[in-house]
Amino acid sequence: MIKTLIVGNWKMNTDSFEAYKLTSNLIDNINHINSVIKVICPPYIYIPKLHEIISSSNLYLGSQNMFYKDAGAYTGEISPQMLKEYCEYVILGHSERRTLFEENDELINKKTKAAIENNIIPIICVGENISERESGLTKNKIRNQLLNSLKNLEENANISIAYEPIWAIGTGVAATPEIAQETMKYIRLILQEIFNSDTANKTPILYGGSVTDQNALEYLNLTDINGCLIGGASLDSKKFSKIVEIAAIK
Ligand code: 13P
């Protein structure tokens, strides 16, 4: 049985005061909920400070990205060696990184391996854009993203996958539960092809894209879902806490 995972991706939002306040509110609201894994992914710069308050709670920290080398002349990058002191999770291959920063599956594969080597659980994002969906290319795209970004991993790799259709991110147009279920079921099938059925069945698959406290239950009730990756609604402590509460009782 996979424990439900609710992950907040703050993206490039909050100032230091807001980051602190949001985190303390979340600890107050949802620290007592043990049946759900709760992860917040703030901007890098707030991670050490938030770690101080989060380490005595049962919330976890994740990073929104990282580089794959341990150290060296890589101006502006953050390494898994640096992150592992603070973070249990790292989001890799988010569509914003793929489209705005030209990250490809080969790079995401290197980052995935580096995260695993450093005991950080990668949350690898996949998803189609609107024209790929309309041309019937969704499964093709997702299969390729998974095959290439999960290349040459151990059979029992400890990873999570997030299905984030690009057209649903930050648009208020969430995928229908039917689309989400169909695609996540397909993702599990591909994980079985890449690894084996044991690993496929124990890998958390998350849905992300315009999830709010209003629609979270529709997703969390789906057969192949194990949690949500939340953008906008994770910046509101009440909404994020509500989603965690829904995940705990569904
Ligand atoms: P929204 O929840 O704002 O649509 O963002 C989803 C997302 O990109 C999470 O990584």
Side-chain angles (χ1 to χ4, degrees):
M1 182 72 175
I2 301 174
K3 208 165 174 177
T4 304
L5 187 58
I6 302 292
V7 183
N9 175 7
W10 294 7
K11 308 192 180 182
M12 199 176 72
N13 291 298
T14 71
D15 61 25
S16 63
F17 177 77
E18 288 162 348
Y20 187 86
K21 188 88 191 117
L22 180 50
T23 307
S24 354
N25 287 343
L26 291 175
I27 293 173
D28 288 346
N29 295 348
I30 54 175
N31 193 43
H32 64 284
I33 299 178
N34 294 313
S35 56
V36 176
I37 301 174
K38 309 159 293 275
V39 184
I40 55 167
C41 303
Y44 286 133
I45 194 166
Y46 306 134
I47 287 176
K49 177 81 183 154
L50 296 184
H51 185 258
E52 285 174 24
I53 56 168
I54 228 173
S55 54
S56 56
S57 80
N58 67 10
L59 274 69
Y60 293 106
L61 276 169
S63 169
Q64 300 173 19
N65 182 30
M66 64 166 215
F67 196 50
Y68 62 87
K69 295 278 189 181
D70 282 343
Y74 305 102
T75 302
E77 293 296 327
I78 302 278
S79 81
Q81 285 283 327
M82 296 166 185
L83 287 174
K84 73 178 181 189
E85 189 179 335
Y86 307 106
C87 294
E88 270 78 20
Y89 292 85
V90 60
I91 299 171
L92 296 178
H94 191 281
S95 67
E96 285 148 19
R97 301 237 32 109
R98 290 176 186 263
T99 51
L100 300 171
F101 303 98
E102 297 175 8
E103 292 202 5
N104 59 26
D105 291 331
E106 194 187 338
L107 178 65
I108 294 158
N109 181 239
K110 287 183 178 153
K111 293 183 175 192
T112 300
K113 287 177 179 161
I116 292 170
E117 275 161 24
N118 285 282
N119 286 323
I120 304 171
I121 302 172
I123 301 170
I124 300 135
C125 302
V126 296
E128 80 286 4
N129 64 29
I130 192 64
S131 65
E132 288 159 343
R133 167 147 292 276
E134 286 172 351
S135 335
L137 295 173
T138 299
K139 288 186 175 167
N140 214 5
K141 166 91 179 279
I142 285 171
R143 184 165 190 276
N144 284 332
Q145 285 183 322
L146 290 171
L147 289 178
N148 294 325
S149 51
L150 304 179
K151 211 175 240 170
N152 298 328
L153 302 188
E154 300 264 324
E155 281 269 293
N156 60 351
N158 187 11
I159 58 169
S160 296
I161 305 294
Y163 170 50
E164 295 211 311
I166 297 169
W167 46 273
I169 296 176
T171 59
V173 185
T176 61
E178 292 74 25
I179 288 180
Q181 167 56 26
E182 188 191 352
T183 317
M184 291 187 296
K185 186 176 174 189
Y186 180 71
I187 290 172
R188 212 173 291 285
L189 201 71
I190 303 302
L191 292 178
Q192 195 171 329
E193 184 189 327
I194 297 172
F195 301 105
N196 52 51
S197 57
D198 187 49
T199 302
N201 290 332
K202 71 172 206 290
T203 298
I205 302 178
L206 316 182
Y207 168 74
S210 297
V211 176
T212 65
D213 51 330
Q214 302 299 311
N215 63 14
L217 184 61
E218 293 175 43
Y219 297 105
L220 291 166
N221 275 333
L222 298 173
T223 315
D224 276 289
I225 200 172
N226 307 109
C228 293
L229 178 54
I230 295 150
S234 72
L235 295 168
D236 180 321
S237 63
K238 287 202 181 101
K239 289 184 184 168
F240 190 76
S241 302
K242 186 83 203 294
I243 295 169
V244 171
E245 283 163 13
I246 291 168
I249 54 159
K250 58 108 193 160

